[in-house]
Amino acid sequence: MGSGEWGVGMEHFWFEDAVIYHIYSLSLAQGPFINDYVFNGSGAAEISKWIPHIKGMGFNTVLLSPVMKSRSHGYDVTDYFTIDNRIGTNDEFRSLVKNFHDNGIKVLLDCVFNHCGRDFFAFRELQQGKREYASWFKGVDFGSQSPLGDPFIYETWSGYWELVKFSLDNPETKKYLLDAACFWIDDFGIDGMRLDAANVLDFNFMAELRGITSQKKRDFWLMGEVVGGDYTKWVNAAALHSVTNYILYKSLYSSHNDNNLYELASCVKNSAPDKGRPLFTFLDNHDQSRIASAASRPEYLNTLYCLLFTLPGIPSVYYGSEWGIKAVKGKTSDNELRPYIDITKSGEYSTALTGLINRLIKIRQAEKALRYGSYREIFIKFKRPFVFERSFEGERILIAVNIGSRSDTINIGESGKIIMRDLLTGEKFNSGRSIQIKPFSARILKAGK
């Protein structure tokens, strides 16, 4: 994106303004968990029903996880050039993408380039004794037998034998996957990709993927799933535009549950790159417990979502969480996290939280300081409110968060009186040096008239 302060004096790309709605596509397809490759699903048509809700809430980007033909949960891919039959056909999915685009919504696909499923053609050929396909995969050894009965072993993702790790040093493997990436851009017009398991994905492959996709679409967005570590290793001009900010995710809910916003403040202060501004931020997803279950008090949802939309980052909401849906990650299954939801009944689900998220999206999209602004910590004390500032091109916004059960008044360090407007309530007031914050609430205060 160039040098200098992020978002200042540079061309803006669409993803800097993205507000993302994340859908686990296979759940809406209502197909069998184990794919027989015969079932003809209507997932694309079901997802299309969600577009008015997504647009009405203010989201301008959708992340679909996952969509390529697979054996089960979507991350054991069988065919990289075909939509999962439980979702529909390629033509139906092409129409879905067009429908999103016609409604001003960008489309991201969840893509798995680190590993594939055991039904992938090259692995099937290897199982049939064609040893020339051994070079497609990491660590193939014909001197041992796999736990699944293969006359060889191979490297996996995280010890799951159903997920076979690619050898991205092999030119044939790499060409197949890069051709697949181009296919989804050329034939479907997608706008970006989430790279599954990017923390263990080959860096040379990511660099080539960045180059090829940027040639196809100059503003094509690559975002990787990275749980921890130094995010600058992945987010740079030679690799990805963004990664999942799991460090911030953990600190958001645990700082609330422990009534210790120092944890959150420390995390944001030390996050990288650029204080976390390009990173993909979230409160829950298809792999983690719903935030309504992870938060120890329901009142925390107000402050958690206020922070999600005002802290540095590119915010994402997981489908259904705008209604406060609860679900806890299981020890052996994530099915509870990935339910079918009948969107035609969305009016029955709506709560005050739904309205708050809608309002927060409007505020974020109206204020450049919340999208591109610098970050500065203003006030933090143990079991007291947390206040920080976002500023851009002379505009300043103060965000004050109180997760305590009592109102609190804090000194914000201003000299003299300053007119402020609370963007959440519309209230204007002369702040002086202090502001009051009600319990379990946040204030988004814009300085000026």
Side-chain angles (χ1 to χ4, degrees):
M1 291 186 288
S3 58
E5 185 179 350
W6 192 82
V8 177
M10 298 185 294
E11 177 184 3
H12 289 300
F13 291 117
W14 68 267
F15 43 80
E16 300 174 42
D17 300 318
V19 184
I20 300 167
Y21 195 75
H22 180 189
I23 292 176
Y24 186 76
S25 308
L26 288 172
S27 291
L28 299 188
Q30 292 184 283
F33 180 74
I34 300 299
N35 194 355
D36 59 8
Y37 304 121
V38 175
F39 177 84
N40 293 315
S42 57
E46 194 71 25
I47 294 169
S48 188
K49 296 177 185 177
W50 285 69
I51 292 177
H53 170 69
I54 295 169
K55 184 177 181 179
M57 284 290 294
F59 296 97
N60 57 21
T61 307
V62 65
L63 167 59
L64 300 176
S65 297
V67 299
M68 296 176 193
K69 182 177 284 188
S70 77
R71 181 60 172 164
S72 61
H73 44 58
Y75 296 98
D76 49 352
V77 179
T78 298
D79 186 342
Y80 282 78
F81 291 81
T82 306
I83 284 293
D84 195 290
N85 51 287
R86 292 167 291 182
I87 295 173
T89 66
N90 279 16
D91 286 341
E92 289 169 339
F93 190 76
R94 191 176 291 108
S95 296
L96 175 63
V97 173
K98 183 179 184 303
N99 197 357
F100 274 116
H101 284 165
D102 288 347
N103 281 276
I105 299 169
K106 301 285 188 181
V107 178
L108 310 174
L109 296 189
D110 203 346
C111 298
V112 192
F113 296 132
N114 178 70
H115 51 266
C116 65
R118 288 167 54 85
D119 287 345
F120 182 68
F121 86 93
F123 192 77
R124 285 296 193 197
E125 295 289 347
L126 183 59
Q127 288 177 314
Q128 296 299 316
K130 297 182 180 180
R131 293 195 173 196
E132 62 268 29
Y133 283 96
S135 61
W136 279 66
F137 308 104
K138 278 278 190 183
V140 175
D141 180 358
F142 293 96
S144 301
Q145 185 175 7
S146 80
L148 300 183
D150 307 293
F152 53 86
I153 58 172
Y154 48 89
E155 288 189 26
T156 66
W157 176 81
S158 199
Y160 291 94
W161 290 92
E162 295 83 1
L163 304 176
V164 188
K165 186 170 178 63
F166 281 124
S167 175
L168 295 173
D169 294 329
N170 177 35
E172 291 179 286
T173 310
K174 184 163 58 176
K175 182 180 185 304
Y176 175 92
L177 294 173
L178 293 175
D179 285 349
C182 292
F183 169 75
W184 293 100
I185 299 172
D186 292 339
D187 281 37
F188 296 84
I190 67 168
D191 304 288
M193 292 178 173
R194 171 196 182 271
L195 305 184
D196 184 68
N199 58 307
V200 291
L201 191 59
D202 181 82
F203 275 94
N204 290 328
F205 176 81
M206 284 188 281
E208 290 194 48
L209 182 65
R210 171 77 174 261
I212 286 175
T213 55
S214 295
Q215 288 175 10
K216 292 287 182 182
K217 274 190 175 184
R218 187 165 173 269
D219 59 352
F220 193 82
W221 192 44
L222 290 177
M223 181 267 293
E225 180 196 23
V226 177
V227 175
D230 179 0
Y231 289 145
T232 60
K233 292 180 179 179
W234 289 271
V235 183
N236 55 66
L240 307 179
H241 299 95
S242 182
V243 294
T244 51
N245 195 346
Y246 266 94
I247 297 173
L248 180 66
Y249 152 74
K250 171 62 169 58
S251 70
L252 277 165
Y253 76 81
S254 64
S255 65
H256 278 66
N257 291 349
D258 295 340
N259 195 11
N260 181 13
L261 289 174
Y262 265 113
E263 178 186 355
L264 175 62
S266 176
C267 169
V268 179
K269 185 176 181 180
N270 295 298
S271 66
D274 298 320
K275 294 294 186 294
R277 281 169 291 197
L279 301 185
F280 179 94
T281 54
F282 57 96
L283 293 173
D284 48 19
N285 60 30
H286 63 299
D287 288 328
Q288 304 299 327
S289 295
R290 295 275 182 171
I291 190 59
S293 295
S296 59
R297 301 184 65 141
E299 298 93 339
Y300 288 157
L301 293 180
N302 295 328
T303 47
L304 282 164
Y305 276 101
C306 284
L307 286 164
L308 177 68
F309 285 98
T310 57
L311 281 169
I314 299 171
S316 171
V317 173
Y318 186 48
Y319 80 115
S321 286
E322 69 270 32
W323 302 310
I325 286 176
K326 293 185 176 184
V328 175
K329 182 179 178 66
K331 293 182 179 180
T332 59
S333 171
D334 291 324
N335 289 342
E336 293 298 314
L337 309 177
R338 307 167 179 181
Y340 170 78
I341 300 174
D342 185 352
I343 189 59
T344 64
K345 298 180 179 179
S346 61
E348 301 174 19
Y349 310 142
S350 293
T351 67
L353 177 64
T354 318
L356 174 64
I357 292 172
N358 181 228
R359 178 69 180 146
L360 288 168
I361 292 173
K362 290 178 180 177
I363 292 171
R364 182 185 184 276
Q365 296 307 84
E367 301 295 339
K368 290 183 178 180
L370 296 179
R371 304 197 304 279
Y372 321 133
S374 62
Y375 167 86
R376 184 167 69 98
E377 186 180 293
I378 299 294
F379 182 94
I380 182 70
K381 285 187 178 180
F382 187 58
K383 293 190 177 182
R384 297 285 307 281
F386 172 38
V387 184
F388 58 93
E389 176 191 86
R390 304 292 306 279
S391 61
F392 182 79
E393 294 182 344
E395 292 192 343
R396 298 172 55 235
I397 295 179
L398 295 182
I399 297 90
V401 176
N402 180 13
I403 64 172
S405 57
R406 297 180 180 179
S407 292
D408 204 339
T409 301
I410 59 170
N411 188 322
I412 57 175
E414 300 287 344
S415 57
K417 292 187 176 182
I418 182 170
I419 297 175
M420 288 191 170
R421 179 165 60 94
D422 191 328
L423 299 179
L424 275 172
T425 64
E427 174 195 1
K428 287 185 179 180
F429 62 97
N430 251 322
S431 73
R433 295 175 60 86
S434 63
I435 56 174
Q436 187 179 56
I437 318 167
K438 295 178 181 178
F440 305 118
S441 72
R443 306 196 75 172
I444 304 175
L445 305 171
K446 187 174 184 178
K449 296 180 180 179

